[in-house]
Amino acid sequence: MIRKLSGSAGETDNTDEIEAENPPYWAHNDVTRKSFTSAKFDVKRQSDSLDRRKVDRVTDTTALISANGSNDTSEDRQPISTKHPILVPGDDVDRMPSPKNWRRSRVRSPWSNSLLTLGVAALALVILLSIVHAFLTRQLDPKGCDMCWSRPIYNKFVDFDTEHTRFATKYSLHLLREGGFDEDPKVRITRNYESHEANEAQVKGVPVLFIPGNAGSYKQSRCLAFEAAQYYHNNIQTNSKALEEGMTSLDFFAVDLNEDFTAFHGQTILDQAEYLNDAVAYILALYHDPRRAQRDPALPDPSSVILVGHSMGGIVARTMLTMSNYQSNSINTIVTMSAPHARAPVSVDAEAVSTYARINDYWRGAYTQKWANDNPLWHVTLVSIAGGGLDTVVPSDFASLESLVPSTHGFTVFTSGIPDVWTGADHIQMTWCAQLMKPIARSLYHVVDARRPSQTKPRAERMRVFKKWYLTGMEDVAEKSLSHQEPHYLIPSDEDTESLTVPTQRLVLRQFERTEKSKPYLMPIPKQIKGDKTFTLLTNRRIEDPADSTKLAVLFCSLHPSQHGQSSTIFSMNLDLSNDISGSTKFACKSAAPDIIRLPASTRMSSQPFDKLEPFSYLQYHLDDLIDFQFVAVIDKATEPIQGWLLAEFNDRAQSIMETRTSLQRLLAFGLHTKLPAERPFMTEVKVPALYSSLLAFKLSLGSQACGEDAELFTPLLRQYLPEPHESKYFVNVKEANISLHGIAPFMPPPLRAHTKDGVSLQFWTDPSCNSSIDVSLSIDVAGSMGKLVMRYRMVFAAFPIVVVALVLRKQFKIYDESGIFITFAESLDLCLRSSLPLLILALTFFAMSVTISNASGSVPTSTGWFGWRENATETAIDFTKNDLLLGSQDPVFWFLVPLFGLISVGACVCINYAALGLTSVFYLPYNYLTTRPAWVRVEDVSGRSTAPAFSNSSPRRRIITTCVLLFLVSTFIPYQFAYLDAVLVQLSTCTRALRLVRETRSGAHYNFYNYAHSILILMIWILPVNVPVLLVWAHNLAVHWLTPFSSHHNIISIMPYLILVETLTCGKMIPRVTSRARWISNVFFFGLAVYAAVYGVTYAYGLHHIANGLCAWLVAVHFSNSEVSLQGLSQMLEGGGSDDLDDRGGKKRP
């Protein structure tokens, strides 16, 4: 006997038997129905204030009362079919009885929710809105970037064609020239100073290649090119010393990547890296062509290119070194801006995640080699610049290089700490912030050495230059240049040393007075016997080289013995303070100007660190750095009274550092309250080791000094900083400050070098002359901390709700298999809130705590190799994926995030449920209007059954052909994500048709199907965000006429179950009930989907699609478990005969 693939009006003549086996749940009390004994389950309804219907399983068989009130005899009972003992056939939408045989039943509306569900959803909505509001309004960094103005000229290399690269038709290469500075006469200049005409532009400097990021433009390089051209024109071109040291102009190249969505697609990253390696080879070849190069013939041709990458361009730059077409040593310097180095910004594409893993493993493996010769990246320096809290596109935590590169080869720095920048920058501002472009352009010039084939200085010198330009100078890794200098200044004086010496270890100058000659102030350097002393100096005047026309100089001197006949020509400059008196004391000195640290000015008029005010000058030396000197000479060369001040002192490090011992739990509960003592250095540092998490935000309050504001030399200045990564924030004229940081963040891999959690440090510069204490208070900002969840847990809001959806579907199928009732999504959610969902959230909470504790207790041994560079490498393998589980938290104190996101997910599911219902209702209105007939037209079959026009039987041949054509397109041209979007739209259409049928018939079987189709639609809607990004990449490639198919997104197995299930539901076929042990397979699929979404849904979101695909395959198997298909029947389907025309033996039915 052959059964058809889908239910239909003419499928079989034993309708009454099937209906007797599976009575609708509203018809148990219908006295007009005949009795049956084949039902295994019964549904008992109980009125309840929260849920009026609860399903209880009954083990004994209950007989229905016949119409005359007598009990049915055994002859009237129909035996249970044993042909398919696993399944009980479902109610097909088209197999509905005549309306006259049924009463209108009480069916719970899909719009109705219990008070519990509504209360939880309302609470979740309030919390979610509070988080979003806090993200938009609390703990916001000030914006201080100035717009740059330029006149770029773009010269496209049309001869960089398919002979050089296979991507020539998709991407292009440009050379930038700045109008007004380095205009090339061979470039055709338009009125807007832009040119895309083919020409023979000349190259003349050191090549720099700019790589745009995700959806970025090659024109984003114009600001950096402008600053570089301006700096060369104003400072280097006429500086003979700089030219002798190898400085020369920079040739800025930029690649037009057609604004590709690199962040969403791993293959796009690899394609761009391959193209850029071809571009590097082409650029280097230009310098070998005498027709294209205008360089000094004495200089070697370049053998490497400097890379500057923005956003995903920085990742592509690192990928280039791992490609097969990479030319060895053609890249040795990489500067990135807002690049997510540590992990992929989104995990919706499997190839993107695997590409990230391969790239990072390659870099980590290179820097863990025992010998430098085995390290292919030994010559490479990498600097990562992050924008901080203003970057709402890529979390700045992801810009960290701690897990990739040792400190000898690279570091991470934030714009808020770069000297003279002192402001955060959002993702796009990183490309045009004028304050930021200056240090980047100048640092590139100072690492250039055109005398070398690599065109750059050696790696160690490059690192020294980058630290000088990007770090504050107060970091432990900052290098002082004082010890590397030779004495350049000889200072004779007619006064003895004692008369020049400051009597105390603190020098305070409140005004620079007018004198006939320069006046020195000598501070003797104490001998360090015990303790840890430092020398600090702060002034509001600029400190420069004494040879310049500066009003203030700071020198470190030692006594120079005066010997008869000794020449002083070895000193480049003599500062004569002796009035030509013979026998005077002489000092051989070195200038402190190269080690000056610039600080934002903090006055009563200051509001932001980036204000246009003359910065403070600050010096800080450890006493070990001054071991060769005996005096500090502060020379006042003012020739007229100048408003200014200076503080200088020697102090014990123990007096200037206050380390708190407060735990994180106590800090959260009670805050931190301390006091800066009255007798204190003018720079006091408060260390808070417990404050290291990126998820926390605090409020700091600083009391005022008792002496009053008028007596202060300067108002308090605060620096908040983390040692790793190098993040510094300044607060001027501080009374209150928002403390937030990018320390230990969720999902971040562990560092290459194990280190203790140093936490944040707060440095206070205050005027000590008031001799009064200052109160410092630090307390948690709850609302601000909630706002920090948005950037760190964006993917959680997409993945975690699938946990709720999977449990809801599991409950729906469980009740359906037991009773034949497919309850609504809202009703199932209410039942889950009372049982399974709290238990799963509780289990996940304990699991998260156990994982966090186990990760925190583990230790990683380190080793040190030759020359100290091995200090950042590891001898034992580090599990860089240990923070990928659940919410990625590295501290047990955040255990509450699991139930918090679980609560928000419930509210999100309620909202999506209402959105799907509303969308279906919206489409129902035009659909109903277009398909409504003047009267109900009944189509009677031989058994007297009627069919509804909403689910008229579609030809199996049509469904098979449609599915095969779509699968063929997936395998050849379109990605399976496009087919998935099509499946979602078809499922929405199916729900619309089912809604119309429900409203017209009020049939329980139709309600079952509608609830089933609606729940599948909700699941597919939640999976849709995983597929949309890759679909955007494909659509963008079509827009730029790039038709090469994706190699990783044409697997028909990844979409076939979705398509077959959706096509099956278009026929209105209800899924059969599973009444055997096989129903546990459904539970395994649903529970597995829920667990995966919770544990790996954030880091490997692409897996959600495939697990749901497997679930659909199981549902398809259940759908077709009651159907038998023969080759003869299939052949007749394809020839034109539908299943409706087949008899039980596979032949044509007789009329």
Side-chain angles (χ1 to χ4, degrees):
M1 177 178 177
I2 299 177
R3 296 195 180 189
K4 292 177 293 182
L5 292 175
S6 61
S8 64
E11 177 177 343
T12 181
D13 294 336
N14 59 347
T15 305
D16 294 336
E17 295 180 3
I18 297 176
E19 290 175 356
E21 291 179 2
N22 300 278
Y25 60 90
W26 61 88
H28 286 289
N29 296 327
D30 193 341
V31 296
T32 63
R33 301 298 298 166
K34 295 182 179 181
S35 63
F36 67 95
T37 59
S38 59
K40 293 185 177 182
F41 306 95
D42 186 22
V43 178
K44 297 182 179 180
R45 303 178 182 269
Q46 299 177 357
S47 297
D48 190 277
S49 60
L50 297 178
D51 187 7
R52 295 177 300 172
R53 297 181 297 141
K54 292 192 176 181
V55 181
D56 299 325
R57 182 169 180 172
V58 181
T59 57
D60 55 342
T61 306
T62 304
L64 297 177
I65 306 301
S66 62
N68 56 10
S70 60
N71 296 334
D72 289 338
T73 60
S74 60
E75 288 81 2
D76 296 328
R77 300 177 182 176
Q78 299 294 336
I80 301 176
S81 175
T82 59
K83 187 174 183 64
H84 297 283
I86 293 179
L87 304 174
V88 176
D91 297 311
D92 292 347
V93 173
D94 292 337
R95 188 189 300 144
M96 68 178 184
S98 176
K100 65 182 180 181
N101 295 330
W102 299 96
R103 297 185 311 171
R104 183 175 179 178
S105 60
R106 284 193 311 165
V107 180
R108 185 170 181 175
S109 170
W111 291 86
S112 63
N113 282 285
S114 66
L115 294 178
L116 174 63
T117 304
L118 292 177
V120 172
L123 179 60
L125 185 61
V126 170
I127 294 176
L128 182 59
L129 292 178
S130 300
I131 291 176
V132 175
H133 180 266
F135 171 71
L136 297 176
T137 60
R138 302 296 294 268
Q139 292 282 335
L140 299 180
D141 294 338
K143 296 182 179 180
C145 280
D146 296 332
M147 174 66 74
C148 72
W149 302 97
S150 63
R151 297 184 297 174
I153 305 167
Y154 301 98
N155 177 33
K156 182 179 179 180
F157 290 96
V158 293
D159 55 344
F160 185 46
D161 50 19
T162 53
E163 294 183 1
H164 299 86
T165 176
R166 65 189 182 100
F167 296 100
T169 59
K170 184 180 182 182
Y171 306 137
S172 59
L173 180 66
H174 298 259
L175 174 66
L176 273 73
R177 294 301 188 198
E178 182 59 34
F181 291 110
D182 54 358
E183 293 181 4
D184 194 325
K186 293 188 178 182
V187 178
R188 185 180 303 171
I189 303 175
T190 65
R191 183 167 52 185
N192 295 327
Y193 285 91
E194 294 188 4
S195 175
H196 300 277
E197 303 290 336
N199 52 71
E200 297 292 333
Q202 304 291 316
V203 292
K204 52 188 177 182
V206 175
V208 178
L209 179 60
F210 177 84
I211 308 173
N214 182 66
S217 170
Y218 69 99
K219 295 182 180 180
Q220 292 174 327
S221 60
R222 63 184 183 273
C223 289
L224 182 59
F226 166 75
E227 290 294 343
Q230 185 181 48
Y231 184 71
Y232 177 79
H233 182 269
N234 296 337
N235 299 89
I236 297 178
Q237 192 173 18
T238 57
N239 190 336
S240 58
K241 181 179 179 181
L243 296 176
E244 291 176 359
E245 293 177 352
M247 290 189 185
T248 186
S249 62
L250 299 178
D251 291 330
F252 270 88
F253 298 84
V255 286
D256 182 5
L257 300 177
N258 268 316
E259 300 182 3
D260 269 348
F261 295 106
T262 323
F264 301 151
H265 198 227
Q267 185 59 46
T268 302
I269 297 177
L270 300 177
D271 291 347
Q272 291 185 1
E274 180 182 343
Y275 172 80
L276 286 167
N277 276 329
D278 294 337
V280 167
Y282 175 82
I283 290 172
L284 295 178
L286 293 176
Y287 292 86
H288 296 279
D289 187 353
R291 299 172 302 173
R292 308 292 292 271
Q294 289 183 341
R295 286 169 56 91
D296 186 350
L299 297 176
D301 293 330
S303 62
S304 66
V305 176
I306 299 174
L307 300 184
V308 178
H310 172 247
S311 186
M312 291 299 296
I315 307 304
V316 175
R318 288 178 48 225
T319 309
M320 294 170 61
L321 283 77
T322 67
M323 302 294 292
S324 58
N325 66 333
Y326 168 67
Q327 294 183 7
S328 180
N329 296 329
S330 61
I331 299 171
N332 61 18
T333 303
I334 304 175
V335 177
T336 65
M337 301 175 291
S338 293
H341 292 288
R343 60 178 304 107
V346 290
S347 58
V348 297
D349 179 45
E351 189 165 0
V353 176
S354 62
T355 299
Y356 251 88
R358 290 195 301 269
I359 297 170
N360 289 348
D361 289 344
Y362 178 85
W363 280 68
R364 290 167 183 149
Y367 288 118
T368 54
Q369 297 298 319
K370 184 176 181 179
W371 304 105
N373 291 336
D374 299 329
N375 181 3
L377 305 178
W378 175 256
H379 63 290
V380 177
T381 55
L382 175 61
V383 177
S384 175
I385 305 175
L390 290 179
D391 192 343
T392 57
V393 176
V394 174
S396 290
D397 307 283
F398 290 2
S400 175
L401 298 176
E402 285 187 273
S403 64
L404 299 170
V405 179
S407 60
T408 53
H409 290 71
F411 58 88
T412 306
V413 66
F414 285 73
T415 58
S416 56
I418 298 178
D420 296 322
V421 179
W422 297 324
T423 179
D426 64 31
H427 202 69
I428 302 301
Q429 283 178 346
M430 296 290 289
T431 62
W432 57 258
C433 183
Q435 296 98 314
L436 178 61
M437 295 300 102
K438 287 181 173 62
I440 294 179
R442 296 174 186 184
S443 65
L444 294 180
Y445 275 112
H446 284 79
V447 300
V448 163
D449 188 352
R451 301 169 299 180
R452 297 167 53 89
S454 64
Q455 302 295 290
T456 58
K457 297 177 180 179
R459 177 192 55 82
E461 294 186 30
R462 275 180 277 140
M463 286 298 300
R464 189 177 298 112
V465 170
F466 285 138
K467 290 177 182 178
K468 175 180 176 59
W469 282 100
Y470 297 138
L471 299 185
T472 63
M474 292 175 280
E475 295 83 0
D476 293 336
V477 297
E479 300 181 14
K480 303 294 184 181
S481 62
L482 187 64
S483 59
H484 303 290
Q485 300 180 35
E486 293 295 333
H488 292 291
Y489 307 100
L490 182 65
I491 305 179
S493 177
D494 58 351
E495 304 179 47
D496 56 19
T497 304
E498 293 183 0
S499 63
L500 298 174
T501 303
V502 178
T504 63
Q505 289 191 346
R506 173 180 291 173
L507 172 64
V508 180
L509 298 178
R510 293 186 173 271
Q511 185 177 7
F512 297 103
E513 301 176 355
R514 177 179 180 179
T515 56
E516 296 181 357
K517 62 178 181 178
S518 300
K519 182 178 180 180
Y521 298 89
L522 299 184
M523 299 182 65
I525 299 177
K527 299 297 183 181
Q528 185 166 340
I529 302 176
K530 61 179 181 178
D532 191 3
K533 286 186 174 294
T534 58
F535 170 77
T536 54
L537 182 147
L538 181 67
T539 179
N540 65 341
R541 306 303 304 174
R542 182 186 297 271
I543 298 178
E544 295 181 350
D545 195 289
D548 299 332
S549 59
T550 181
K551 307 301 181 183
L552 183 65
V554 178
L555 306 175
F556 290 88
C557 307
S558 58
L559 287 174
H560 182 69
S562 178
Q563 298 180 7
H564 181 71
Q566 184 179 12
S567 174
S568 61
T569 57
I570 59 174
F571 300 98
S572 60
M573 180 181 179
N574 295 329
L575 298 180
D576 190 2
L577 308 179
S578 61
N579 290 332
D580 298 329
I581 300 178
S582 60
S584 59
T585 306
K586 296 181 179 180
F587 303 98
C589 303
K590 298 180 181 180
S591 174
D595 293 332
I596 287 295
I597 300 170
R598 294 186 298 278
L599 298 178
S602 181
T603 66
R604 284 177 293 173
M605 302 301 295
S606 301
S607 59
Q608 299 295 342
F610 47 80
D611 290 340
K612 309 302 181 182
L613 300 175
E614 182 70 22
F616 289 173
S617 297
Y618 179 66
L619 286 174
Q620 177 177 296
Y621 290 99
H622 191 272
L623 212 56
D624 292 339
D625 299 327
L626 308 178
I627 193 172
D628 297 329
F629 306 100
Q630 288 132 351
F631 295 95
V632 179
V634 178
I635 302 177
D636 180 7
K637 300 196 299 180
T639 57
E640 58 184 12
I642 298 177
Q643 295 295 329
W645 49 265
L646 180 143
L647 292 172
E649 65 182 7
F650 290 94
N651 56 76
D652 290 330
R653 189 173 178 84
Q655 296 177 350
S656 60
I657 296 180
M658 303 170 58
E659 185 167 351
T660 62
R661 300 294 180 182
T662 305
S663 64
L664 179 58
Q665 292 79 0
R666 185 175 180 83
L667 183 63
L668 295 176
F670 305 104
L672 174 66
H673 303 278
T674 186
K675 180 176 293 188
L676 303 182
E679 295 292 336
R680 65 181 184 276
F682 67 81
M683 195 284 291
T684 307
E685 182 176 351
V686 179
K687 291 189 174 182
V688 190
L691 182 50
Y692 51 80
S693 175
S694 296
L695 298 178
L696 297 177
F698 286 80
K699 285 282 190 180
L700 183 138
S701 298
L702 192 67
S704 59
Q705 299 193 81
C707 64
E709 296 181 355
D710 293 337
E712 289 181 329
L713 295 176
F714 61 97
T715 55
L717 171 66
L718 170 63
R719 175 192 175 220
Q720 165 210 323
Y721 81 96
L722 281 174
E724 294 181 2
H726 300 297
E727 181 185 21
S728 294
K729 289 183 181 180
Y730 292 97
F731 303 90
V732 298
N733 194 18
V734 61
K735 296 178 181 177
E736 292 184 351
N738 293 324
I739 304 298
S740 61
L741 57 145
H742 295 82
I744 297 180
F747 306 110
M748 288 292 292
L752 279 176
R753 179 175 62 88
H755 57 81
T756 59
K757 299 177 181 178
D758 296 326
V760 74
S761 293
L762 305 173
Q763 285 184 319
F764 297 91
W765 284 270
T766 58
D767 185 1
S769 60
C770 293
N771 198 26
S772 63
S773 60
I774 301 178
D775 294 327
V776 179
S777 177
L778 187 68
S779 59
I780 181 69
D781 183 0
V782 177
S785 300
M786 293 176 62
K788 299 300 177 184
L789 299 177
V790 175
M791 288 302 299
R792 277 76 180 186
Y793 287 114
R794 290 180 299 180
M795 287 296 297
V796 172
F797 296 101
F800 224 69
I802 298 180
V803 177
V804 180
V805 174
L807 292 182
V808 170
L809 282 167
R810 173 182 170 272
K811 178 65 70 174
Q812 287 178 298
F813 275 89
K814 180 181 179 181
I815 294 177
Y816 175 68
D817 291 337
E818 292 178 351
S819 64
I821 305 171
F822 206 96
I823 62 177
T824 66
F825 186 89
E827 188 175 1
S828 179
L829 178 58
D830 176 63
L831 295 176
C832 291
L833 286 175
R834 302 172 187 274
S835 57
S836 57
L837 187 57
L839 292 178
L840 180 59
I841 295 298
L842 183 63
L844 291 174
T845 301
F846 282 107
F847 177 67
M849 294 179 63
S850 63
V851 170
T852 303
I853 294 174
S854 63
N855 289 341
S857 61
S859 59
V860 181
T862 59
S863 62
T864 301
W866 294 103
F867 307 110
W869 84 273
R870 185 85 169 124
E871 63 178 359
N872 290 316
T874 57
E875 225 172 46
T876 59
I878 302 176
D879 183 11
F880 291 101
T881 63
K882 68 177 184 179
N883 296 323
D884 289 349
L885 301 179
L886 283 172
L887 300 181
S889 176
Q890 304 181 38
D891 199 305
V893 76
F894 298 108
W895 62 268
F896 64 90
L897 290 179
V898 176
L900 176 65
F901 286 119
L903 178 66
I904 294 176
S905 299
V906 172
C909 288
V910 172
C911 294
I912 292 298
N913 180 39
Y914 278 131
L917 290 172
L919 192 61
T920 305
S921 300
V922 169
F923 282 103
Y924 161 79
L925 296 176
Y927 175 74
N928 183 59
Y929 176 78
L930 295 175
T931 59
T932 298
R933 299 184 181 182
W936 183 267
V937 180
R938 295 179 58 190
V939 181
E940 301 285 346
D941 62 7
V942 294
S943 60
R945 306 254 338 278
S946 63
T947 61
F951 277 100
S952 57
N953 291 323
S954 58
S955 169
R957 183 180 67 171
R958 181 195 65 80
R959 297 197 302 272
I960 292 176
I961 293 177
T962 301
T963 304
C964 290
V965 168
L966 194 55
L967 292 177
F968 173 76
L969 291 176
V970 169
S971 64
T972 56
F973 179 65
I974 66 175
Y976 68 78
Q977 288 83 359
F978 180 86
Y980 182 85
L981 178 61
D982 177 71
V984 173
L985 297 178
V986 172
Q987 185 65 16
L988 178 61
S989 173
T990 300
C991 291
T992 303
R993 297 165 62 197
L995 177 61
R996 183 197 175 201
L997 194 60
V998 163
R999 292 187 176 182
E1000 289 182 348
T1001 65
R1002 303 294 179 180
S1003 168
H1006 298 158
Y1007 269 109
N1008 273 0
F1009 178 78
Y1010 173 69
N1011 293 336
Y1012 169 51
H1014 176 75
S1015 297
I1016 296 298
L1017 175 62
I1018 291 179
L1019 175 62
M1020 297 182 71
I1021 289 176
W1022 278 113
I1023 300 296
L1024 186 60
V1026 178
N1027 295 279
V1028 167
V1030 176
L1031 186 59
L1032 291 177
V1033 176
W1034 177 74
H1036 177 268
N1037 282 349
L1038 289 182
V1040 298
H1041 309 291
W1042 182 255
L1043 305 180
T1044 303
F1046 297 158
S1047 60
S1048 57
H1049 299 288
H1050 294 276
N1051 185 0
I1052 61 175
I1053 304 300
S1054 299
I1055 194 61
M1056 183 185 296
Y1058 285 109
L1059 298 180
I1060 297 178
L1061 177 61
V1062 169
E1063 283 293 331
T1064 302
L1065 293 181
T1066 58
C1067 318
K1069 182 177 178 60
M1070 184 62 188
I1071 189 170
R1073 294 159 55 196
V1074 182
T1075 59
S1076 67
R1077 294 181 179 178
R1079 66 178 179 270
W1080 292 105
I1081 299 178
S1082 300
N1083 289 336
V1084 170
F1085 270 110
F1086 288 122
F1087 190 74
L1089 177 61
V1091 172
Y1092 183 91
V1095 178
Y1096 289 108
V1098 177
T1099 52
Y1100 306 100
Y1102 61 87
L1104 295 171
H1105 172 92
H1106 300 293
I1107 295 179
N1109 187 55
L1111 171 63
C1112 291
W1114 165 246
L1115 296 181
V1116 169
V1118 174
H1119 267 285
F1120 288 95
S1121 60
N1122 272 354
S1123 301
E1124 295 179 2
V1125 181
S1126 66
L1127 294 178
Q1128 180 183 1
L1130 181 61
S1131 175
Q1132 292 182 1
M1133 292 178 196
L1134 298 177
E1135 290 175 0
S1139 61
D1140 297 341
D1141 301 325
L1142 299 180
D1143 62 11
D1144 292 344
R1145 293 180 299 277
K1148 288 282 186 178
K1149 283 188 177 182
R1150 295 182 179 180

